[in-house]
């Protein structure tokens, strides 16, 4: 008898469909058969724990070997909570992004924009006891992709979250307020519900902004909440 | 009450956070029945999915200081992922059921906006016959997509087809 509690199903329209024809790479990579509905068991309801001992924090992406990366320095801060508005403490957050010119430090990125020898573009932080995380980086540039004619990705930072169970695993992207490319980005628009989509846009925050140093952006994230009834009951 | 944040694709450049050691769940000195789980991921035209991030979780053996229970493997140019880990045992299911030994597997990649979730079981396990998930899949051909096959000493293989003929069974999570 298993007394672990599973997680609530996603609210309708709040998560993207993998079959999103406007995003060309989904064409051959989305399943065509229906997913099997299966209530969560211990396998889905539990998940890995990460220790800063094995995964040391990398909270400043702007310095490499003591030398400063090019671009606009920014601070990103936010709180991770669950659907019951409870903080998710001590959970690992992984971050990766393009440099200020819109180029990833990755052999697969052939965009004709300069690499920055002092910017790799990966980071890792843990939330505190109250669910807060923060890191310092460079505002990533927009870059072209071949999805459609004259396609450009809006400025974005990639995020990876784990939460308490394998079912709470979340990979997403944080966008910036006022970006004109959001209106024409098929990945952003793969989220059907407008309110859910707009929660992927960070907000400029003067309280996070540090005088004479860096602009601040706030990006809060909600991970799935536990189902009301324990499994097996 | 709030609603969970929407997923977005991991994209083609996630290797910026890759650490190849994460594919070896025995790296902290875990002991037990060590095995390799490997497989090749292909798309709807049979092409290798060479930029995927495959994540594995197992509730058994229980994670501890020496065994993280979780791993991550990038697929290579042939679409192949590979984990070194410990053989899982049975774990409880809902009610009084028991689940056959299995791995939980997330597949993340460019062109996959929300992670795809599946499981890998072991061919020849007596408990497979009574496994609550496997028994939900009536078509034996479909069920077989979740069964890893022996592929050399201590090595198990489960290929994953994202779409089309032989499409892997994916699970709501």
């Amino acid at each position: 008898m298993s007394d672990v509690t599973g997680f609530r199903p996603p609210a309708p329209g709040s998560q993207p469909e993998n079959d999103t024809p406007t995003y060309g790479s989904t064409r051959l990579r989305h399943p065509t058969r229906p997913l099997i509905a299966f209530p969560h068991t211990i396998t889905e309801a539990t998940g890995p724990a990460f220790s800063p001992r094995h995964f040391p924090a990398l909270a400043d992406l702007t310095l490499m070997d003591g030398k400063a990366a090019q671009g606009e320095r920014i601070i990103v801060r936010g709180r991770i909570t669950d659907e019951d508005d409870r903080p998710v403490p001590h959970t690992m957050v992984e971050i990766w992004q393009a440099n200020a010119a819109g180029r990833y430090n990755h052999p697969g990125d052939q965009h004709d924009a300069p690499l920055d020898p002092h910017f790799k573009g990966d980071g890792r932080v843990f939330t505190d006891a109250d669910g807060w995380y923060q890191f310092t980086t460079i505002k990533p540039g927009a870059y072209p992709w071949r999805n459609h004619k004259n396609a450009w990705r809006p400025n974005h930072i990639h995020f990876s979250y784990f939460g308490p169970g394998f079912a709470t695993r979340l990979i997403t992207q944080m966008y910036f307020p006022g970006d004109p490319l959001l209106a024409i980005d098929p990945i952003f628009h793969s989220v059907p519900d407008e309110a859910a989509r707009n929660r992927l846009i960070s907000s400029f925050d003067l309280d996070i902004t540090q005088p004479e140093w860096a602009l601040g952006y706030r990006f809060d994230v909600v991970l799935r909440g536990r189902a009301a009834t324990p499994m097996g009951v | 009450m709030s609603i969970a944040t929407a997923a977005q694709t991991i994209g083609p450049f996630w290797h910026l956070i890759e650490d190849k050691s994460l594919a070896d769940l025995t790296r902290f000195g875990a002991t037990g029945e060590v095995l390799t789980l490997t497989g090749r991921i292909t798309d709807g035209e049979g092409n290798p999915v060479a930029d995927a991030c495959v994540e594995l979780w197992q509730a058994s053996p229980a994670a501890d200081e020496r065994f993280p229970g979780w791993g991550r493997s990038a697929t290579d140019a042939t679409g192949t992922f590979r984990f070194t880990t410990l053989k899982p045992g049975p774990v409880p299911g809902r009610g009084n059921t028991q689940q056959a030994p299995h791995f939980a597997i997330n597949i993340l990649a460019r062109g996959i906006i929300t992670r795809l979730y599946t499981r890998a079981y072991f061919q020849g396990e007596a408990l497979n016959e009574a496994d609550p998930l496997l028994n939900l899949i009536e078509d034996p051909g479909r069920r077989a997509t979740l069964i890893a096959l022996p592929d050399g000493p201590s090595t198990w293989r489960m290929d994953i087809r994202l779409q089309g003929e032989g499409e892997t069974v994916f699970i709501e999570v």
Side-chain angles (χ1 to χ4, degrees):
Chain A
M1 174 96 180
S2 168
D3 59 355
V4 284
T5 306
F7 293 88
R8 292 204 284 274
S14 67
Q15 293 292 333
E17 293 291 338
N18 275 320
D19 182 7
T20 293
T22 49
Y23 173 23
S25 293
T26 64
R27 187 173 68 87
L28 295 170
R29 292 186 168 193
H30 72 272
T32 54
R33 309 286 295 258
L35 306 189
I36 302 287
F38 184 67
H40 292 166
T41 71
I42 186 172
T43 303
E44 295 79 22
T46 61
F50 296 94
S51 158
R53 193 159 58 84
H54 294 306
F55 297 89
L58 261 162
D60 187 349
L61 286 69
T62 69
L63 288 174
M64 234 168 118
D65 303 327
K67 295 193 174 115
Q70 298 281 342
E72 181 188 342
R73 188 186 302 115
I74 60 171
I75 297 162
V76 179
R77 178 172 171 78
R79 193 166 184 230
I80 304 180
T81 53
D82 68 15
E83 289 176 306
D84 297 308
D85 303 323
R86 289 182 294 227
V88 182
H90 312 301
T91 193
M92 186 167 79
V93 181
E94 296 170 295
I95 305 141
W96 70 104
Q97 62 168 86
N99 69 20
R103 174 90 183 259
Y104 286 87
N105 188 354
H106 186 289
D109 187 357
Q110 297 299 312
H111 174 36
D112 183 14
L115 282 167
D116 182 340
H118 304 129
F119 188 77
K120 177 164 176 262
D122 68 313
R124 184 192 299 122
V125 291
F126 286 80
T127 56
D128 66 16
D130 216 23
W132 290 93
Y133 72 91
Q134 178 172 315
F135 61 94
T136 304
T137 188
I138 296 293
K139 188 173 181 183
Y143 57 84
W145 59 315
R146 298 195 186 96
N147 189 66
H148 55 273
K149 189 171 180 241
N150 212 5
W152 293 76
R153 289 300 327 278
N155 308 54
H156 63 275
I157 297 176
H158 295 266
F159 280 86
S160 147
Y161 306 94
F162 290 87
F166 201 63
T168 57
R169 184 83 176 99
L170 175 69
I171 303 278
T172 193
Q173 299 179 26
M174 178 199 108
Y175 301 99
F176 289 85
D179 189 333
L181 293 170
L182 285 169
I184 53 168
D185 183 56
I187 296 178
F188 177 63
H189 283 273
S190 69
V191 183
D193 181 73
E194 186 182 5
R197 201 157 62 226
N198 287 338
R199 283 194 287 124
L200 297 178
I201 305 173
S202 59
S203 54
F204 169 68
D205 192 319
L206 199 56
D207 290 330
I208 297 170
T209 299
Q210 287 192 19
E212 317 295 329
W213 182 247
L215 294 185
Y217 290 88
R218 172 93 183 249
F219 185 56
D220 293 341
V221 164
V222 179
L223 301 180
R224 293 167 71 179
R226 295 273 181 188
T229 318
M231 297 180 318
V233 175
Chain B
M1 283 248 294
S2 303
I3 291 174
T5 301
Q8 297 273 269
T9 180
I10 200 168
F13 304 130
W14 69 270
H15 305 88
L16 286 175
I17 59 164
E18 192 197 357
D19 173 350
K20 289 190 193 325
S21 74
L22 299 182
D24 181 358
L25 285 74
T26 65
R27 68 191 182 282
F28 301 129
T31 52
E33 187 183 339
V34 177
L35 62 80
T36 297
L37 176 72
T38 186
R40 192 164 169 262
I41 306 183
T42 50
D43 71 11
E45 288 181 348
N47 306 310
V49 175
D51 54 8
C53 169
V54 183
E55 294 186 345
L56 174 145
W57 165 246
Q58 55 191 96
S60 163
D64 62 21
E65 276 292 294
R66 298 209 298 174
F67 184 64
W70 177 90
R72 173 187 283 157
S73 170
T75 52
D76 64 16
T78 69
T80 302
F81 63 87
R82 187 182 306 274
F83 292 99
T84 303
T85 188
L86 300 182
K87 171 91 192 286
V91 292
R94 285 166 64 95
N96 293 314
T97 63
Q98 194 157 46
Q99 304 188 80
H102 64 273
F103 299 109
I105 293 175
N106 271 337
I107 300 165
L108 302 141
R110 170 180 63 86
I112 297 173
I113 312 179
T114 300
R115 50 80 182 270
L116 294 174
Y117 173 53
T118 189
R119 286 184 174 188
Y121 289 83
F122 296 86
Q123 187 188 48
E125 285 282 342
L127 283 168
N128 287 351
E129 301 306 318
D131 182 81
L133 173 70
L134 292 178
N135 280 330
L136 279 179
I137 308 162
E138 287 173 14
D139 177 347
R142 296 273 289 153
R143 202 180 309 142
T145 67
L146 302 188
I147 311 286
L149 308 176
D151 187 33
S154 303
T155 301
W156 294 80
R157 162 175 293 272
M158 191 181 90
D159 291 335
I160 293 172
R161 183 76 186 254
L162 297 183
Q163 188 188 85
E165 195 185 332
E167 185 175 302
T168 295
V169 169
F170 295 102
I171 307 161
E172 276 182 13
V173 62

